[in-house]
Amino acid sequence: MESRASPPGRIHLVRSVPIYNSIMRVTLFGASGLLGQDLVQELKAEQLTALSSKDADLRDHSRVRDVIRDSRPDWVVLSAAYADVDGCESNRDLAFAVNFEGAVNVAESAREAGSRLMFLSTDYVFDGTKGSPYQTIDARKPINVYGESKARAEERLLEILPEACIARTSWLFGHGGKCFPATILKLASTRPEISVVNDQRGSPTFTRDLASTLVQLCRASARGIVHVTNSGNCTWYEFAREIVRVSELPTAVKPVTTAEFPRPAPRPAYSVLAPDSLHAYNVRMPELQDALRRYLGSAPAVSASEVP
């Protein structure tokens, strides 16, 4: 155990970081989510306490504190969130209750237990006007409620736990839940043509690759803000076109503008995250094309009855 600076009259102990080959004790919030399911698989060799929202509601400070105190983790990984971007726009109070207040509950409990914290954040903390990859030092300027709740959480968590790791990622896709490629495959299986937005650019990220990288960052004792996405970027239209092409489907993909498909929550037009902060830990994410091929190669078949 080692101590670090703490407020007068208060002793705060931080558990020493485990050596690389030791078994980590990890408490995971959000185990049933798209990313959480892959994190559970990636952490199966560790001493893992995995909780879904049914097991522990982030808004319940006492429950969160008890879970972390009892599991005594080296790392707390917080991938749970209210991530319905449009839903957040019309439910601001709920978005902040889960994404901000809930995250604060976890951070305060991790501090009390002497645990490290990894918090999953988003490219939507930016407004999308930069036009070149965002660095970790770029100012947060969210344009929707979801991004705002995550941006405020980032700021507060780094005040509570300066050694926390904020892992920003984007455009997640994976198995075990709704995601963009799954939707495109469903639509393309029954329609001759689909229309997809072509004026929003970002970096789709395969949850299997993300989970592996997050564990590597824990092993590397990462701290501060790290951008973690698959290498490469595209628009939603370009992504859809590649999904259809690799899947050898005959469906035509038509590019359209965001204005033609208005949504309750505005999206940044450009939210590519620069990988420099990840490379600083000598970690690199696979190329997007490779990630998509692996996802499609293990994707379950879609029947016509599954298409909405």
Side-chain angles (χ1 to χ4, degrees):
M1 303 282 282
E2 60 184 9
S3 63
R4 65 170 174 80
S6 56
R10 182 174 172 184
I11 297 176
H12 185 179
L13 298 178
V14 177
R15 185 177 291 108
S16 298
V17 176
I19 60 174
Y20 185 80
N21 289 322
S22 67
I23 294 178
M24 292 191 297
R25 288 194 299 273
V26 180
T27 297
L28 168 65
F29 291 92
S32 61
L34 199 65
L35 172 60
Q37 294 176 68
D38 281 323
L39 279 169
V40 168
Q41 290 301 310
E42 196 66 33
L43 291 164
K44 61 186 178 182
E46 313 297 339
Q47 186 175 323
L48 175 64
T49 301
L51 303 118
S52 69
S53 59
K54 294 180 180 179
D55 300 318
D57 188 326
L58 299 183
R59 296 169 293 179
D60 186 341
H61 195 174
S62 295
R63 172 60 177 156
V64 168
R65 183 179 61 240
D66 289 348
V67 165
I68 294 176
R69 180 197 62 209
D70 294 344
S71 57
R72 300 180 300 111
D74 300 305
W75 278 92
V76 176
V77 179
L78 177 51
S79 67
Y82 180 29
D84 179 347
V85 179
D86 290 326
C88 285
E89 205 68 16
S90 56
N91 294 279
R92 181 183 178 87
D93 289 347
L94 178 58
F96 270 81
V98 176
N99 297 341
F100 175 75
E101 295 167 21
V104 169
N105 289 340
V106 173
E108 290 177 344
S109 300
R111 181 177 62 184
E112 291 173 11
S115 303
R116 298 291 304 276
L117 173 65
M118 175 170 287
F119 174 67
L120 270 294
S121 192
T122 173
D123 55 326
Y124 282 12
V125 300
F126 299 118
D127 63 7
T129 61
K130 185 181 178 184
S132 61
Y134 280 95
Q135 301 288 341
T136 57
I137 60 173
D138 287 329
R140 303 174 182 90
K141 294 181 180 179
I143 59 174
N144 56 47
V145 171
Y146 172 67
E148 185 184 354
S149 67
K150 284 290 195 173
R152 300 294 83 81
E154 286 188 7
E155 295 167 345
R156 183 69 184 114
L157 264 53
L158 289 172
E159 292 173 353
I160 297 170
L161 282 173
E163 71 275 15
C165 180
I166 308 292
R168 288 184 186 143
T169 190
S170 63
W171 296 23
L172 298 189
F173 67 96
H175 303 302
K178 294 181 180 179
C179 67
F180 183 79
T183 298
I184 293 300
L185 289 173
K186 289 180 180 180
L187 294 175
S189 68
T190 59
R191 302 183 187 183
E193 180 181 280
I194 55 176
S195 298
V196 185
V197 169
N198 194 35
D199 54 2
Q200 295 173 28
R201 180 170 292 274
S203 295
T205 303
F206 188 19
T207 52
R208 190 173 299 170
D209 293 340
L210 178 58
S212 173
T213 300
L214 294 177
V215 174
Q216 291 180 66
L217 288 173
C218 287
R219 288 292 187 187
S221 301
R223 59 177 294 167
I225 300 172
V226 185
H227 287 171
V228 191
T229 70
N230 278 112
S231 177
N233 62 81
C234 59
T235 66
W236 290 116
Y237 159 74
E238 292 168 346
F239 193 26
R241 188 178 59 183
E242 185 68 3
I243 293 165
V244 169
R245 186 190 70 80
V246 174
S247 301
E248 299 182 343
L249 295 168
T251 305
V253 184
K254 175 186 175 183
V256 294
T257 65
T258 297
E260 294 177 76
F261 278 84
R263 304 284 293 275
R267 268 71 166 174
Y270 183 97
S271 60
V272 179
L273 302 178
D276 308 59
S277 55
L278 180 63
H279 294 174
Y281 290 98
N282 199 30
V283 178
R284 281 169 165 72
M285 290 277 280
E287 291 284 341
L288 170 58
Q289 291 85 350
D290 172 68
L292 178 60
R293 286 185 176 87
R294 283 183 285 116
Y295 167 84
L296 293 173
S298 55
V302 177
S303 66
S305 62
E306 295 179 278
V307 180

